[in-house]
Amino acid sequence: MNTKKTPVLLMNVGSPDAPTVPAVRRFLSEFLNDKRVIDLPWLLRKFLVNLIIIPFRVKNSTQLYQQLWTEKGSALIYISEELKNKLQTKLGDDFEVFMGMRYGNPHYKKALAEIKEKSYKEVIVLPLYPQHALSTTETSFVAVEEEVRKFKNPPKLLKIGQFYQNPKFAQAFAEQAKKYKPETFDHILISFHGLPIRQDAKSKPKNVPDYSYSKACCETSQLIAKELNLSETDYTIGFQSRLSKNWLTPFSDEIIMEKLKEGKKRILVLAPAFVTDCLETIVEIEYEYAEEFVKNGGEKLLLVSSLNAENLWIDMLADMITERKNRN
């Protein structure tokens, strides 16, 4: 066993390899066929995903990814690479940092194959999701566990779960928001990725009683609001990226229009379910929400950039990783 370094596997959702219909179809197929993403019986899930959702969504999804794409590729991927490199520098020679996407490339299985080849005796697994959910943190842990069980000499998994309660997380997001002068806006929307209502209570970490994803999102908002000295009337919590009306409410896009009717013509949006800017932040909020808001009479709707590879975020990750290593 290799005892000289400790590998760290960072995980995120992932992205298609290219903004093309075949690449997006492959990505959606892997993503949506995960039983923790769409938690329906196998046959129903296969029918719904492969015969209805993907055929009807792939063209539109491809167009959205085309809006996101730059010369460097998908934002989630190239920002994640920058994060990995900066974290490696911060942690130093005692650690080796890997980035593995749950779906798409660079795939988590490729990272684990390299970890296996180097005969590491343990690996720190850190899914980059602030709030625990069945379709994010849990599926990442389960996927790694299942892959590692195939190894002849499997490494010990040192897991780091949700981290929204870490004081440095709210501080880091608040520092990002301060760059946009939140006091100059009429209202602040704190927007989280939605979940089907049936998944809310099911998205529960082990040994955490009375947990739900929606409660975690509310607490995240309160912690950030405290850092920004916001009153309860200064901000609203919403949920975005819904696929049906049976998802967590209130819906972020509806909140924006409601606030506009109240005369709030300048809105600042934070999205603290995402630590890396991606389709849901750049395209859905920065492009689509902003366009709809201005079209209906608003002056400005602005997205606060996520933590991406900011120094405070790197410091927080390094602290969590070092603490987990020392606790082993």
Side-chain angles (χ1 to χ4, degrees):
M1 287 288 188
N2 189 334
T3 60
K4 293 181 180 179
K5 292 185 178 183
T6 300
V8 178
L9 175 58
L10 305 176
M11 295 185 69
N12 213 323
V13 174
S15 175
D17 292 329
T20 62
V21 169
V24 172
R25 183 182 287 112
R26 286 194 301 271
F27 175 75
L28 291 178
S29 180
E30 185 182 8
F31 175 42
L32 298 177
N33 276 294
D34 184 337
K35 65 182 180 181
R36 289 175 175 81
V37 172
I38 297 184
D39 57 330
L40 296 173
W42 181 87
L43 186 59
L44 179 57
R45 183 175 70 254
K46 292 295 181 182
F47 175 81
L48 182 65
V49 169
N50 299 300
L51 297 181
I52 298 178
I53 296 179
I54 292 178
F56 283 94
R57 287 192 61 191
V58 67
K59 186 176 180 180
N60 181 62
S61 294
T62 300
Q63 292 172 346
L64 296 176
Y65 277 108
Q66 287 170 352
Q67 294 181 56
L68 175 72
W69 230 256
T70 71
E71 291 181 356
K72 294 189 288 186
S74 170
L76 179 67
I77 303 303
Y78 68 73
I79 293 172
S80 294
E81 183 67 17
E82 181 184 358
L83 171 69
K84 183 190 81 169
N85 293 338
K86 289 184 72 171
L87 182 59
Q88 180 67 73
T89 300
K90 178 72 177 180
L91 287 171
D93 294 337
D94 290 337
F95 296 87
E96 182 172 5
V97 182
F98 297 84
M99 179 64 70
M101 298 297 160
R102 177 65 182 86
Y103 318 100
N105 295 305
H107 206 273
Y108 74 94
K109 289 184 179 180
K110 183 177 180 181
L112 288 173
E114 189 172 345
I115 290 169
K116 176 184 178 182
E117 185 178 333
K118 294 183 177 182
S119 300
Y120 283 117
K121 71 171 185 175
E122 59 189 19
V123 54
I124 295 173
V125 183
L126 174 49
L128 297 174
Y129 309 109
Q131 305 84 18
H132 182 100
L134 188 70
S135 55
T136 55
T137 310
E138 187 162 332
T139 189
S140 297
F141 282 148
V142 170
V144 171
E145 289 167 357
E146 291 177 348
E147 186 66 16
V148 164
R149 276 199 292 268
K150 301 173 186 176
F151 295 4
K152 183 177 180 181
N153 296 303
K156 181 179 180 181
L157 299 182
L158 307 180
K159 301 176 183 177
I160 299 177
Q162 63 178 13
F163 44 81
Y164 74 91
Q165 292 174 309
N166 187 314
K168 290 184 179 179
F169 180 70
Q171 291 166 12
F173 247 104
E175 287 304 310
Q176 284 294 89
K178 288 175 185 177
K179 297 175 184 178
Y180 297 79
K181 299 182 179 180
E183 67 277 4
T184 66
F185 288 81
D186 299 327
H187 197 71
I188 293 174
L189 169 64
I190 304 182
S191 183
F192 296 86
H193 197 293
L195 281 183
I197 293 171
R198 69 175 185 277
Q199 283 194 17
D200 190 26
K202 290 171 65 176
S203 294
K204 187 173 183 178
K206 293 179 181 177
N207 304 318
V208 182
D210 194 32
Y211 176 91
S212 71
Y213 173 77
S214 59
K215 288 180 181 178
C217 293
C218 289
E219 188 174 346
T220 303
S221 298
Q222 291 164 0
L223 293 169
I224 294 174
K226 184 177 180 181
E227 290 289 331
L228 290 172
N229 295 315
L230 301 177
S231 70
E232 290 184 359
T233 58
D234 290 333
Y235 71 97
T236 304
I237 301 168
F239 297 92
Q240 63 181 89
S241 310
R242 68 184 184 275
L243 293 182
S244 80
K245 64 180 181 180
N246 297 316
W247 281 46
L248 293 173
T249 57
F251 299 135
S252 294
D253 56 345
E254 293 181 356
I255 289 171
I256 289 166
M257 291 300 110
E258 289 169 6
K259 293 302 172 183
L260 183 56
K261 290 177 182 177
E262 294 173 9
K264 313 291 187 184
K265 294 198 171 186
R266 293 173 54 84
I267 293 181
L268 187 65
V269 184
L270 284 73
F274 307 93
V275 297
T276 309
D277 278 317
C278 54
L279 187 77
E280 287 81 1
T281 60
I282 296 172
V283 176
E284 186 172 3
I285 297 175
E286 192 170 25
Y287 297 169
E288 294 181 349
Y289 285 9
E291 181 181 358
E292 191 68 17
F293 186 71
V294 172
K295 187 171 73 175
N296 282 275
E299 292 178 9
K300 178 181 286 188
L301 184 143
L302 202 58
L303 169 71
V304 173
S305 294
S306 194
L307 301 182
N308 294 327
E310 293 290 328
N311 289 334
L312 281 176
W313 169 228
I314 299 292
D315 292 344
M316 175 185 158
L317 287 173
D319 288 346
M320 289 195 300
I321 290 164
T322 303
E323 189 276 332
R324 185 65 184 89
K325 168 65 176 174
N326 293 336
R327 183 159 45 92
N328 182 36

